[in-house]
Amino acid sequence: MLTGAPLIRFDAIAKQHGQQILFVDASAALNRGEKVGLVGPNGAGKSTLFRLITREEEPEEGQVTVDRGVTVGYFNQDVGEMSGRAAVTETMHGAGNVAHVAARLHELEHALSDPEREHEMDKLIDELGHVQTEFEHLDGYSLEARAREILAGLGFSQEMMDGDVGHLSGGWKMRVALARILLMRPDALLLDEPSNHLDLESIIWLEEFLKSYEGAILMTSHDREFMNRVVHKIIEIDGGELTTYSGNYDFYERARAITDTQQQAQFDRQQAMLKKELAFIERFKARASHAAQVQSRVKMLDKIERVEPPKRKKSLVFNFKTPPRSGDEVVKLQGIHKGYGSRRIYTDFSHVLRRGERWCVLGVNGAGKSTLLKMIAGESKPDAGAVVQGASLKMGYFAQHAMELLEPQKTVWDTLYEAFPLASVGTLKTLAGSFGFSGDEIQKTCRVLSGGEKARLVLARMLFDPPNFLVLDEPTNHLDVGTKEMLLQSLSNYEGTMLFVSHDRRFLAALSNRVLELTPQGVVPYGGGYTEYVARTGREAPGLREAPGRG
């Protein structure tokens, strides 16, 4: 993809929220046709940067310039109210200029059939001609077909497309909001976590859509593989500065690690030199014979430019205990039948999970992934058949509703301390820090925690004294890249048995050694993990025909 002149420029911007300084003399650019990932710690100012582009906020110093005539589409997690229209109509309604032209076209067609406006006929016909030409130029006649194609890519059935958008869950409304922006086809797409709430099939579809998108893209994502495949440039926000790296996320991380190592070495060398010079000054400052040398060194130290240590906090790694040993047969499913109403999900399904196996469960939306995990965890009963737990089993079950069981008035510290009263203060602080709660953050109450923070707290509590069988339903939802990496590293060293559902391909590939695919024809087990499954089937998810190329 050829890139051109800047569409959006940040020139020496400064911005702060209350006491928090977000940007100081920060500069960067988004050029025509570029696909750029925006990265930085939570609270660094990624969403603020988007709002500066859309003029929802203004910089206190410097300038944000959007090139004349450039259309900007902004997708964020706040989708607003949606109801009273079909999902496909709601998608078309937000498609920018083409939607306004379509509405005017509809008005004119209605006016031409109104006998009371017969005296305006020539004027109306003339305007209709102009509007039709503009509508055609904007590819408006294919608008509905394109809207349906995008919604299908994001997992909608025809029935859902034509149903009232108000009846959809928050996650599905989020997909409608995303479809609206994609249909708009702006010159610059601003995407704040677009892969949240998407299943694996939809993530892969969106990835392919964005790779072939002709406009510029600036996006955040906690999905490392998704970011790697879409972007070819990174803008990092850290310590108030914007730093640009040419390459995908993996390249950025390697480059950043080299820069940090070099900067730390420079800092250490300078600190050693300063210590030596200050020791000399302290030793000889009272001696007249050394006065000139002391003054010379004091002046030198005053002039020297101080090297700062790397700004980025290193993520702590917690060494989790070895879980107790379970029996060889962890769980046995015997002739399971399960359905909802007239819809059968499992029919006479039998399977055994053995010690040390790590099964990832794959299947399209509604195939029964969470249902299977709930039955194994004892949260749901099969209609017929039995779930038999093996000997010496200690199970840990993570589901999205687990976050709702946290006590709102308790702090992060209270939650961990009450779960493990015999653990030392230092051990619990290291545990909290490993899951992203450092300093005053451990005093936050559960009531004010974000979805990601709640997920981190539940996982910390579960893994401190680890069970020998982990059942995990989308454990990486809402987690940032750093926490995902820490969790992935911890679970890679985990010695128990695992059954999990995830839409994160890095997680699937690193942790699974078995695959259970739920298909309309039944359940298909595969020896080997997710990587082997992709190689064998030629697809990255059950709902896809073949694995897309990396492009």
Side-chain angles (χ1 to χ4, degrees), residues 466-500:
N468 52 31
F469 179 40
L470 282 176
V471 180
L472 306 172
D473 194 355
E474 296 285 8
T476 61
N477 267 9
H478 311 295
L479 298 186
D480 60 39
V481 175
T483 309
K484 276 188 191 181
E485 287 299 310
M486 188 282 299
L487 182 62
L488 195 148
Q489 192 175 338
S490 302
L491 293 178
S492 295
N493 300 322
Y494 170 71
E495 294 176 20
T497 306
M498 282 174 63
L499 177 73
F500 66 96

Side-chain angles (χ1 to χ4, degrees), residues 158-462:
Q158 292 297 324
E159 186 182 2
M160 288 172 74
M161 290 180 205
D162 294 318
D164 187 337
V165 71
H167 297 156
L168 297 174
S169 69
W172 285 99
K173 283 180 179 173
M174 201 82 77
R175 296 188 194 206
V176 172
L178 177 58
R180 210 160 51 186
I181 299 295
L182 299 180
L183 182 65
M184 180 182 166
R185 296 200 294 203
D187 300 315
L189 260 180
L190 312 181
L191 302 173
D192 195 0
E193 296 294 341
S195 58
N196 271 8
H197 304 284
L198 298 185
D199 55 26
L200 187 51
E201 285 81 3
S202 299
I203 289 171
I204 293 166
W205 176 88
L206 179 60
E207 190 176 276
E208 291 300 300
F209 182 97
L210 296 179
K211 277 159 68 176
S212 61
Y213 189 74
E214 292 182 0
I217 296 170
L218 182 65
M219 73 172 192
T220 64
S221 178
H222 291 156
D223 187 324
R224 183 181 181 136
E225 187 65 23
F226 179 71
M227 186 87 94
N228 270 336
R229 297 194 191 188
V230 174
V231 309
H232 48 73
K233 178 174 156 182
I234 297 287
I235 295 175
E236 179 195 49
I237 308 175
D238 195 20
E241 296 176 357
L242 293 174
T243 308
T244 301
Y245 296 81
S246 294
N248 64 9
Y249 188 87
D250 282 351
F251 174 85
Y252 149 74
E253 198 172 59
R254 289 193 300 270
R256 177 68 203 249
I258 292 166
T259 303
D260 281 357
T261 303
Q262 290 170 342
Q263 192 171 342
Q264 185 67 51
Q266 274 184 290
F267 175 76
D268 292 342
R269 280 196 300 271
Q270 191 180 69
Q271 289 300 302
M273 181 272 290
L274 292 172
K275 186 178 178 185
K276 187 177 171 185
E277 294 298 322
L278 288 167
F280 178 90
I281 292 165
E282 190 62 31
R283 185 178 173 191
F284 295 110
K285 66 183 179 184
R287 295 191 190 178
S289 60
H290 287 75
Q293 286 172 285
V294 167
Q295 284 304 313
S296 171
R297 294 190 184 204
V298 168
K299 284 178 184 175
M300 181 196 77
L301 292 187
D302 284 343
K303 288 178 186 174
I304 201 165
E305 190 176 335
R306 295 295 197 266
V307 175
E308 295 291 327
K311 296 188 191 76
R312 194 161 58 164
K313 288 188 293 187
K314 282 190 175 173
S315 50
L316 294 167
V317 175
F318 192 84
N319 294 317
F320 293 98
K321 300 175 196 168
T322 302
R325 186 184 174 93
S326 71
D328 286 345
E329 288 191 351
V330 174
V331 171
K332 189 184 284 186
L333 301 165
Q334 299 174 324
I336 297 292
H337 291 260
K338 182 71 176 176
Y340 295 102
S342 60
R343 191 164 73 90
R344 306 309 305 159
I345 297 176
Y346 294 99
T347 304
D348 196 24
F349 170 48
S350 296
H351 188 66
V352 179
L353 280 73
R354 294 183 169 82
R355 183 166 47 82
E357 293 178 337
R358 295 161 171 243
W359 290 90
C360 70
V361 184
L362 301 179
V364 298
N365 255 337
K369 300 186 293 292
S370 293
T371 299
L372 177 63
L373 269 57
K374 283 177 185 170
M375 287 192 291
I376 287 173
E379 295 264 321
S380 170
K381 299 251 182 280
D383 299 335
V387 177
V388 181
Q389 294 188 355
S392 307
L393 192 67
K394 180 184 175 187
M395 187 188 303
Y397 174 49
F398 176 89
Q400 299 306 308
H401 72 75
M403 298 184 286
E404 295 161 20
L405 303 179
L406 293 169
E407 295 182 53
Q409 75 282 6
K410 296 272 173 71
T411 65
V412 170
W413 177 255
D414 294 337
T415 304
L416 294 176
Y417 181 74
E418 287 178 16
F420 310 109
L422 300 180
S424 71
V425 169
T427 300
L428 288 184
K429 282 192 172 178
T430 305
L431 173 69
S434 300
F435 283 89
F437 298 105
S438 56
D440 294 341
E441 290 174 328
I442 60 173
Q443 296 306 327
K444 280 184 174 179
T445 61
C446 294
R447 181 183 289 107
V448 303
L449 296 181
S450 67
E453 288 170 325
K454 286 178 180 175
R456 298 197 318 252
L457 181 55
V458 170
L459 286 164
R461 192 169 59 177
M462 181 188 293

Side-chain angles (χ1 to χ4, degrees), residues 6-8 30-34 50 53-54 66-67 69-75 181-182 184-191 213-219:
L7 291 182
I8 299 168
L30 176 66
N31 297 319
R32 196 172 293 278
E34 279 188 329
F50 285 139
I53 295 170
T54 59
V66 178
D67 205 22
V70 167
T71 53
V72 175
Y74 176 33
F75 168 78
I181 299 295
L182 299 180
M184 180 182 166
R185 296 200 294 203
D187 300 315
L189 260 180
L190 312 181
L191 302 173
Y213 189 74
E214 292 182 0
I217 296 170
L218 182 65
M219 73 172 192

